[in-house]
Amino acid sequence: MGVMSSRLNEFAARYTAAWCSHDAASVASFHAEDGSLTINEGPPAVGRAAITAAAQGFMTDFPDLVVRLDRVDVDNDRVRYHRTLTGTNTGPGGTGNTVRITGHEEWRMGADGRIAESRGHFDEAEYRRQLHAGAPIR
């Protein structure tokens, strides 16, 4: 389990760096060719082109987007990638407010070592509140 956990932590660190690079196609490359990404209970983005578009949406809305890896948990065949997203909503039509939201993705890894299925979760009500009022001051 230690070697697998170490590999998943390295994978998660590279995935985080892809998000911080603002290269949406790089984020999608961590997913299987026919992989999926579902954010909260929204419709799944299936395939790398759709995942690229979903990632690009966040990158456009938050040009200064930073994603921080908080931790990785492994439970049988599921991996939980915990992260914090911080950025200022200055993209087209943005509010100009800063958002800092924690959440996680539940990954099912494919045989190719890439993400076959990702189910992302974050507090959408808090996210919307921060879009309009800004992140709490720490």
Side-chain angles (χ1 to χ4, degrees), residues 35-93:
S36 67
L37 169 64
T38 303
I39 300 169
N40 285 340
E41 298 305 316
V46 178
R48 287 190 186 147
I51 294 168
T52 297
Q56 187 60 58
F58 279 99
M59 293 171 184
T60 299
D61 290 347
F62 300 95
D64 62 346
L65 176 73
V66 174
V67 176
R68 183 187 74 216
L69 167 60
D70 296 326
R71 73 180 188 278
V72 177
D73 299 326
V74 180
D75 182 21
N76 295 321
D77 66 339
R78 290 283 178 179
V79 177
R80 190 172 279 189
Y81 164 78
H82 296 266
R83 47 95 183 109
T84 301
L85 176 151
T86 305
T88 309
N89 184 226
T90 56

Side-chain angles (χ1 to χ4, degrees), residues 21-43:
S21 77
H22 294 238
D23 180 353
S26 178
V27 171
S29 75
F30 284 81
H31 294 259
E33 196 70 44
D34 60 348
S36 67
L37 169 64
T38 303
I39 300 169
N40 285 340
E41 298 305 316

Side-chain angles (χ1 to χ4, degrees), residues 4-16:
M4 184 173 119
S5 182
S6 176
R7 286 186 185 150
L8 286 169
N9 278 309
E10 290 169 12
F11 180 90
R14 291 192 323 271
Y15 182 70
T16 302

